[in-house]
Amino acid sequence: MRSWHLARLSYAAMAGLALVSAGFTGASGAVGEGAAPARAIPAGTISTVAGGVGGPGPARSVAMVSCGVRTVGASLYIGTGAEMRRVNVLTGALTTVAGNNAAGPVGDGGIATATAFSPALGFACASAVDPAGNLAITDGWTVRLAAAKTGTFYGQKMTAGRIYTVAGNPGNSRIPPTEAGWTGGPTGDGGPAAKAFLGSAADVTFDRAGNMLIADSGWGQACSACSQVGAMLRVVAARTGTFYGVKMKADYIYSIAGKDVGPGPAGNGGPAARAGLGPGLSSAELDRFGNIILAGRYQPPGQTVPFDTVTPYVRVIAEATGMFYGQKMEAGHIYRVAGDSTQGPYVNAVPGTKTSLWAASGADADLSGNLVIADGGEVRVLAGRSGRFYGQNMKAAFIYRIAGSPYYGDSGDGGPALRAGVWAAQIGLDGFGNVVVGQGAGSRVRVIAARTGRFYGQKMTAGDIYAIAGNGQAFSGNGGPPLAAEFADPIGVSVSTRGDIAFITTPFNSTLQVIPARPGTFFGRKMTAGTLYSVPVDRGQLDLSGDAPLAFDGSGNLVVADADDNPYLSKVWLVPATSGIFYGQKMTAGGTYGIAGAGKLGFSGDGGPARQAELNAPGGAAVDKHGNVVIADTGNNRVRVVAAATATFYGVKMNAGDIYTVAGDGSSAYSGDGGRARTAGLQPVAVAADAAGNLIVTDASQRVRVVAASTGTFHGQAMTVGHIYTIAGNGTAGFAGNGGPATSAEFSEVGGVAVDKHGNVLVTDTRNHVVWAIAARTGTFYGRPMTAGDIYIVAGGGTRILGDGGPATRAMFAPVNVAVSATGSLLVTDAGDNRVRGIAP
């Protein structure tokens, strides 16, 4: 949480217990016993209910996938793609200095911790601190600056704590250059840096003159059609003068290596300006002599090649003429110091130029003049001189392994680094000489201790390896405030009648999350109101990694539709909140029980026991007012019901515990409107029930349809029990109709559906990034005047990143599913921003 949150809604507000308006308090904002009195907030206001950047707290307590590491003084900066984190080298304490784990435009001029980084090549990964203390951050096609103080930097007036683009222009970098009819390297040389074209800013650093050096990896790794575009090493001049043999103007950009050269790693021993760097340049650093250290991989142009055909390299651009890394070098010339033009596992204690490298994704120089290299499953050292380093006797210009093995892994914490498994993606050296290893896919950052002592809040022994940041998972915050949690891609969401919130996060170690409205023991664990908990499920049975809609039943249990098309997983499950007999089975709280589906992909079983029936990738589940479980059997193009009692529902006679089709004839083509639902063609995406018991179905034909539970007038139409009707969408994929008749509207991809207490139908439109409301009656809802039968955008479609504390229609988000509380507050899973969002009724 940060002070830039102008207002927020608590979990309880969204559950219908209270509405809260709060500024920065340092707490979660959850409402429970002893909470501050609630204050009304404007209808239609959007806020975060759960999720964010995680923390603050120990760096090892948060989820983190690092894509860049840099140490400056007592601070370790870690780029995660969505944020830039700072870890205290001594204490291990974590803070976030830029980014908010949200998607959106770059947000120049905004508060750094409220900005989003662009979904481009690389995101927010590499960083460096300039002589004024500002933090430079690579962001795909740009380099951005989080200003440490107010002043003029790189030709721009800046305010402390805000963020600005200083190199690269995202406005002219959206199209790969060949598609724009241009076939050269990145453009803009000799002009203002902020107007230049960067292919992909992979790394950034500063030289001793204060110039900004950018490793521009080109387009080769991003687009096969433009893979002839090579990498470049570029300089943004700090002042007017001559640098690297080039006359430069302050704040202008220049290429000093790779310019107008083909993509191959060519030019060894010659002038750097005429050398090719390949399209895979990933790292640029400086050693203590001012030499520039480059690491990367060359991929042959014009084709997508297997990983094992790339050529990793470490090269040096000499600052001055002299002997470096066992070679005579001439100022301004470039030299290969590691890698023999082949790819493969290490050979220890051989000359650096006569050994193969595996990845060479990063290299940095230590205080003794050695080069430390991130090389896939190993950390390696190219000795700058002969001596004893990292517990080994080393010979100048020879290469040695100091951590890992030929195989990737994530093991060995607290023991010798040479016996550990690593995923060495990035490398850095802190002020104590410890080697910082960014593990990328390992979801952690680790340190190889250079000497025995206390670092990052831990006791360390020289030569051993330790995790210092990241919890190795995709989720954090279990047992804490919802707003201090972090997770990825939330999907299904539901609210119980008593106000409990449940949602599912995915991918990786997908979890079922619950925020209880009252204290007690639920799902087999003791819970406190307003706290976020992970609910255990049997992962051998229930797969939460795909679309997994869920719904609370009347007993507070969770019904989960497993949409995986694996024949052994295509079921509907129950996760009971308490022990008892449910759906004809004896269940224990916290267990996982199948209530529909035989574990065999297909369509069968209508009129018989639900657990013996065949389902096909059920995409949605709901519980109607009678307690029946309603299933969107998407792969079978049907809506089916597991009867809670022996009675007639939706015009079909049913026996308790058996399964029945109530809509759909197996055809995915739209048909049958106004006729019997069971003879209609439809492709159900999600399903909900309204107060009258009618079923609301989102249909992949880009329509919203109703299966009538009884004969009467509903949603502005006369309906007959068991028949099906369209209430929104004209079947054309598009984005139109806001404020007009719902049946004339165009959707791009209908998703989740819910019904509020007024009868309004809420639908997520995932590709248009909005939530629609189909008005059941004339009135004002979610801050918008509405006319019965018309359709309105109530959230999304705006230009503000997140937009918390403001009108929901000005916010940007990526809605997946929607749920409604008893008071009409909306809960929406926002997969783009990794949050659960709330909209006041």
Side-chain angles (χ1 to χ4, degrees):
M1 290 181 56
R2 271 167 286 282
S3 59
W4 49 267
H5 283 288
L6 301 179
R8 62 176 180 269
L9 303 183
S10 72
Y11 90 93
M14 298 300 95
L17 300 180
L19 286 172
V20 178
S21 176
F24 177 71
T25 62
S28 72
V31 173
E33 290 80 352
R39 293 180 290 159
I41 64 173
T45 299
I46 193 168
S47 194
T48 295
V49 177
V53 299
R60 284 181 292 165
S61 69
V62 301
M64 184 183 300
V65 178
S66 67
C67 57
V69 293
R70 167 85 62 181
T71 58
V72 180
S75 297
L76 165 64
Y77 292 93
I78 303 171
T80 68
E83 312 96 13
M84 187 58 60
R85 310 278 206 163
R86 181 170 58 210
V87 179
N88 186 289
V89 172
L90 294 175
T91 67
L94 174 84
T95 53
T96 300
V97 293
N100 63 0
N101 198 20
V106 295
D108 262 7
I111 297 172
T113 51
T115 195
F117 289 99
S118 60
L121 309 177
F123 305 90
C125 286
S127 64
V129 176
D130 72 10
N134 306 308
L135 183 67
I137 305 166
T138 61
D139 187 16
W141 291 295
T142 65
V143 176
R144 306 173 71 189
L145 199 77
K149 56 185 178 181
T150 299
T152 299
F153 309 102
Y154 305 95
Q156 300 182 51
K157 291 183 178 179
M158 300 186 183
T159 301
R162 295 182 179 266
I163 194 165
Y164 305 84
T165 296
V166 293
N169 182 348
N172 66 17
S173 300
R174 297 295 182 191
I175 301 173
T178 51
E179 295 180 21
W182 172 78
T183 58
T187 62
D189 269 6
K195 294 182 179 180
F197 186 106
L198 297 181
S200 176
D203 200 5
V204 61
T205 192
F206 291 91
D207 66 17
R208 291 182 290 190
N211 302 310
M212 179 190 296
L213 275 64
I214 303 169
D216 185 348
S217 67
W219 280 96
Q221 300 298 319
C223 135
S224 59
C226 35
S227 59
Q228 76 276 12
V229 179
M232 294 184 182
L233 179 63
R234 313 189 74 185
V235 174
V236 180
R239 65 180 187 275
T240 299
T242 299
F243 307 101
Y244 306 102
V246 179
K247 289 183 178 181
M248 299 185 182
K249 185 177 178 180
D251 308 321
Y252 278 37
I253 194 167
Y254 304 84
S255 295
I256 63 170
K259 182 179 180 180
D260 299 327
V261 182
N268 191 53
R274 296 204 296 268
L277 300 179
L281 177 62
S282 58
S283 173
E285 302 292 343
L286 281 89
D287 67 15
R288 62 178 180 167
F289 303 106
N291 302 312
I292 301 171
I293 314 302
L294 304 177
R297 293 174 293 166
Y298 164 61
Q299 176 175 306
Q303 59 180 313
T304 301
V305 297
F307 182 78
D308 61 3
T309 64
V310 300
T311 303
Y313 63 79
V314 177
R315 306 177 79 183
V316 171
I317 301 175
E319 165 70 5
T321 299
M323 179 71 75
F324 306 104
Y325 309 104
Q327 298 184 46
K328 289 182 179 180
M329 298 187 181
E330 184 177 340
H333 286 215
I334 190 168
Y335 302 85
R336 178 170 54 87
V337 295
D340 64 357
S341 300
T342 65
Q343 185 183 46
Y346 79 96
V347 178
N348 208 42
V350 297
T353 55
K354 294 184 178 180
T355 187
S356 57
L357 298 174
W358 184 253
S361 54
D364 201 356
D366 67 17
L367 298 176
S368 299
N370 308 304
L371 296 185
V372 185
I373 304 166
D375 195 27
E378 305 152 1
V379 179
R380 306 173 76 179
V381 169
L382 177 71
R385 58 185 174 85
S386 298
R388 188 169 180 81
F389 312 106
Y390 305 99
Q392 301 182 50
N393 293 321
M394 297 187 181
K395 184 178 179 180
F398 278 50
I399 197 165
Y400 301 84
R401 178 175 63 95
I402 64 168
S405 69
Y407 307 101
Y408 290 87
D410 185 16
S411 63
D413 276 356
L418 281 168
R419 299 179 188 172
V422 300
W423 297 78
Q426 312 96 34
I427 212 76
L429 279 296
D430 67 20
F432 297 99
N434 303 310
V435 177
V436 182
V437 184
Q439 295 214 143
S443 301
R444 299 193 302 168
V445 176
R446 302 167 80 187
V447 157
I448 304 167
R451 58 187 176 88
T452 299
R454 188 172 183 84
F455 312 103
Y456 304 96
Q458 304 177 58
K459 290 183 179 180
M460 298 187 180
T461 301
D464 287 357
I465 192 168
Y466 302 84
I468 59 167
N471 61 8
Q473 304 178 42
F475 170 80
S476 74
N478 185 30
L483 288 173
E486 57 181 334
F487 39 78
D489 299 336
I491 43 174
V493 63
S494 185
V495 185
S496 74
T497 55
R498 67 188 182 200
D500 307 308
I501 297 171
F503 58 94
I504 291 171
T505 65
T506 187
F508 309 122
N509 53 343
S510 308
T511 52
L512 176 59
Q513 311 292 340
V514 171
I515 307 172
R518 58 192 175 97
T521 300
F522 312 108
F523 303 102
R525 64 178 302 176
K526 190 175 182 180
M527 298 185 177
T528 302
T531 300
L532 182 70
Y533 296 93
S534 296
V535 174
V537 298
D538 186 340
R539 297 185 184 277
Q541 300 184 75
L542 176 55
D543 179 16
L544 300 176
S545 63
D547 286 340
L550 76 165
F552 279 105
D553 68 11
S555 300
N557 307 311
L558 282 169
V559 178
V560 185
D562 191 339
D564 196 302
D565 59 6
N566 184 318
Y568 302 104
L569 300 174
S570 201
K571 292 185 177 183
V572 175
W573 304 86
L574 192 80
V575 182
T578 57
S579 299
I581 297 176
F582 306 105
Y583 305 96
Q585 298 182 61
K586 187 176 182 180
M587 300 185 183
T588 302
T592 307
Y593 300 86
I595 59 172
K600 185 178 180 181
L601 198 67
F603 174 70
S604 69
D606 261 11
R611 283 186 286 163
Q612 296 176 19
E614 294 176 358
L615 304 176
N616 189 343
V623 180
D624 69 14
K625 68 177 184 178
H626 303 291
N628 302 312
V629 176
V630 186
I631 303 166
D633 194 354
T634 305
N636 286 320
N637 302 310
R638 292 173 169 88
V639 177
R640 305 173 78 179
V641 169
V642 180
T646 298
T648 299
F649 304 105
Y650 311 104
V652 180
K653 290 183 178 180
M654 301 185 184
N655 293 319
D658 289 353
I659 193 169
Y660 302 85
T661 293
V662 297
D665 64 357
S667 170
S668 62
Y670 170 79
S671 68
D673 216 45
R676 292 187 180 278
R678 284 187 290 173
T679 61
L682 82 161
Q683 190 174 0
V685 177
V687 64
D690 66 16
N694 305 306
L695 300 183
I696 317 297
V697 184
T698 50
D699 188 331
S701 68
Q702 309 312 327
R703 294 175 172 89
V704 181
R705 308 178 77 179
V706 171
V707 179
S710 59
T711 299
T713 300
F714 310 104
H715 304 283
Q717 298 184 44
M719 299 185 180
T720 300
V721 61
H723 286 215
I724 192 167
Y725 304 85
T726 295
I727 62 168
N730 64 9
T732 300
F735 187 26
N738 186 31
T743 50
S744 298
E746 295 178 2
F747 307 119
S748 182
E749 187 173 332
V750 292
V753 62
V755 185
D756 70 16
K757 67 175 184 177
H758 304 291
N760 304 312
V761 176
L762 289 307
V763 179
T764 62
D765 188 348
T766 55
R767 289 189 179 175
N768 287 325
H769 309 298
V770 298
V771 177
W772 299 91
I774 305 164
R777 59 184 177 88
T778 299
T780 299
F781 309 101
Y782 311 104
R784 295 202 61 174
M786 299 185 183
T787 301
D790 287 354
I791 192 167
Y792 302 85
I793 294 173
V794 294
T799 58
R800 290 177 56 188
I801 300 168
L802 284 180
D804 275 356
T809 51
R810 293 180 61 191
M812 296 179 63
F813 72 152
V816 178
N817 277 295
V818 60
V820 185
S821 75
T823 60
S825 302
L826 303 186
L827 281 137
V828 184
T829 46
D830 180 357
D833 298 317
N834 303 308
R835 288 163 167 81
V836 177
R837 316 287 297 281
I839 296 111

